[in-house]
Amino acid sequence: MKKYTILMMMLCGVFGYSYAQDAGTPSEGSGKAAGYAPVAGDFSGAILFGRGNFLNVTAAEMTPVAGASWTVPGAAPYLNTTETNDNSISNIVGAEVRYFLMDNIALKLSGGAILRNTPARANTPGVIDANAPNSAWIPAYEAVKNDNRSDININLGGEYHFASKYSRLFPYAGLTIPFYYARRTMYDPTIIYSLEGDDFEIVDVGHRHVETIGFGAQAVTGVDYYLLEGLYFGFELKPVSYVYAYSNKIPGPGLETLQADTHTFSFFSQVFMKIGFRF
């Protein structure tokens, strides 16, 4: 609760300052005030706050288990960007860049990416001779599992900015084309050696992959309020959204791929808060 209190105090302070500075600001018609209204050729950049905008992807846990069946999970991809609960205004979810082709028309690109890579390292068996008390013991070194993860979301679209009777307030509406990509690759290089003979067991047959791709179309509406010249605060809402997502699961090299897909429709969801700069 403390972080929300501090955030609200900061916003109230900035709003109070901007209101005092705005007293007597002359307008130039159509609600455009000098210094605040975007014009053709301007760029703006903003940080987005709200719910994470990445697809929910499970890890590629599909290794064979001794004495049990080898199963490839059939779960379809899950679009958690439209979850109904647990939205947080203090969570940074990505960034946005706009370029104004005209005073009231802008191109928009937003999104984010997370890339992780853990290289595999083979295990080393230990040496322990319980019958020789003074012998040196060599510890066993566990393998490092290969774990590669990629999460990318990109939204490309356009906006139309409407005239407003207020000098600092600029509502807009538009359309965006979202693209989501996520991939999980895992491999366990562990080799289990027998202490009684030369037998050994290979834990994993090779690299396992889960790949998820999503795309669709989304209507966007929002409003920007300029706190200062070049500094704005805003909210954005997606009144209508459709996303198609599908996943490919490969349990091992040369094995058949299991595919699953999901259609997600949402209405008046995915609310974002943003703080940005125009330059």
Side-chain angles (χ1 to χ4, degrees):
M1 290 298 296
K2 184 177 180 181
K3 63 181 180 181
Y4 297 108
T5 302
I6 295 175
L7 178 61
M8 292 305 298
M9 290 177 62
M10 293 176 60
L11 291 176
C12 290
V14 175
F15 270 120
Y17 176 79
S18 62
Y19 177 80
Q21 293 294 315
D22 199 36
T25 300
S27 63
E28 297 183 348
S30 302
K32 292 183 179 295
Y36 297 111
V39 296
D42 281 357
F43 283 90
S44 70
I47 299 299
L48 304 178
F49 298 82
R51 187 170 186 83
N53 204 25
F54 296 94
L55 288 176
N56 189 57
V57 181
T58 57
E61 297 287 358
M62 297 178 288
T63 54
V65 179
S69 61
W70 188 6
T71 303
V72 180
Y78 174 53
L79 185 68
N80 61 336
T81 60
T82 57
E83 185 65 45
T84 54
N85 298 314
D86 299 328
N87 293 289
S88 176
I89 199 172
S90 64
N91 183 40
I92 297 178
V93 298
E96 169 189 284
V97 176
R98 292 188 295 197
Y99 174 71
F100 286 84
L101 297 173
M102 302 173 60
D103 292 357
N104 57 355
I105 297 179
L107 294 177
K108 177 164 68 174
L109 176 65
S110 64
I114 302 173
L115 305 175
R116 292 190 178 97
N117 178 27
T118 302
R121 296 289 186 272
N123 64 307
T124 302
V127 176
I128 301 175
D129 188 355
N131 297 321
N134 296 325
S135 65
W137 289 10
I138 301 176
Y141 292 82
E142 293 185 349
V144 178
K145 298 179 181 179
N146 176 221
D147 189 352
N148 295 339
R149 300 176 179 234
S150 301
D151 293 279
I152 301 171
N153 79 84
I154 300 174
N155 299 269
L156 179 63
E159 297 174 348
Y160 182 87
H161 289 243
F162 299 96
S164 169
K165 66 179 180 179
Y166 301 104
S167 62
R168 296 173 181 258
L169 194 67
F170 301 95
Y172 63 86
L175 178 70
T176 61
I177 305 298
F179 174 78
Y180 305 93
Y181 179 81
R183 183 180 177 90
R184 302 288 185 267
T185 298
M186 300 185 71
Y187 171 62
D188 186 350
T190 300
I191 299 178
I192 302 175
Y193 297 92
S194 173
L195 297 178
E196 299 177 354
D198 296 330
D199 295 336
F200 61 91
E201 177 186 347
I202 298 176
V203 173
D204 212 341
V205 297
H207 287 82
R208 295 161 274 128
H209 309 279
V210 175
E211 183 179 61
T212 303
I213 298 173
F215 53 89
Q218 300 172 327
V220 175
T221 183
V223 61
D224 294 336
Y225 181 83
Y226 278 80
L227 306 172
L228 303 168
E229 291 187 11
L231 173 64
Y232 64 91
F233 165 87
F235 286 97
E236 185 170 292
L237 172 69
K238 296 180 179 179
V240 181
S241 173
Y242 167 72
V243 173
Y244 171 74
Y246 67 92
S247 64
N248 296 316
K249 300 179 182 180
I250 306 174
L255 297 177
E256 184 178 355
T257 300
L258 176 62
Q259 295 184 337
D261 58 358
T262 300
H263 302 265
T264 302
F265 295 89
S266 61
F267 304 92
F268 296 98
S269 63
Q270 300 185 58
V271 180
F272 297 100
M273 186 192 83
K274 55 185 178 180
I275 298 178
F277 298 88
R278 180 169 55 84
F279 48 92

